[in-house]
Amino acid sequence: GSHAQLEDTAPRIVEHPTDVLVSKGEPATLSCKAEGRPAPVVEWYKDGERVETDREDPRSHRTLLPGGSLFFLRILHGRRGKPDEGVYVCVARNYLGEATSRNASLEVAGE
């Protein structure tokens, strides 16, 4: 029999990241799950800047998980500031378009 051709669909975010409060040096995960056909590519932005993960920089402490979530091996926090703190969004793209998640803030707990 003939199978119905599955239609390509633009991405949509099915799991949005939520605000997290993390102690410095602890791991953290910002969730994001997107659906679409073809499977969308997920990128993260923090305060409007693209977040580099270990795919671009093997020494990065941030890993893009297979589902699209962003995993921090440990939250960096130094005297000069809190480099991981900020507002994150995940963006899922394929050739039909893109979808942007809600904003999630990552805060580092006080000393």
Side-chain angles (χ1 to χ4, degrees):
S2 64
H3 286 285
Q5 194 58 46
L6 286 165
E7 283 186 28
D8 286 356
T9 56
R12 65 188 183 99
I13 308 280
V14 291
E15 188 181 329
H16 290 266
T18 53
D19 296 350
V20 284
L21 178 65
V22 198
S23 303
K24 69 175 185 181
E26 293 292 309
T29 304
L30 287 166
S31 302
C32 180
K33 203 172 201 169
E35 285 179 354
R37 181 181 303 276
V41 173
V42 170
E43 289 184 329
W44 283 86
Y45 290 83
K46 168 183 170 289
D47 301 329
E49 300 267 309
R50 204 167 89 76
V51 172
E52 292 220 332
T53 60
D54 58 350
R55 293 188 181 183
E56 289 95 16
D57 179 358
R59 292 163 316 186
S60 174
H61 66 295
R62 294 178 294 246
T63 301
L64 187 62
L65 299 179
S69 296
L70 185 63
F71 176 69
F72 298 81
L73 295 172
R74 62 190 179 283
I75 291 299
L76 296 186
H77 181 325
R79 260 175 218 172
R80 301 218 184 101
K82 305 174 180 180
D84 288 325
E85 207 167 67
V87 175
Y88 289 79
V89 295
C90 90
V91 179
R93 288 191 183 91
N94 67 15
Y95 80 96
L96 284 170
E98 63 178 59
T100 304
S101 74
R102 290 195 288 268
N103 288 355
S105 66
L106 185 145
E107 275 188 68
V108 179
E111 302 294 88

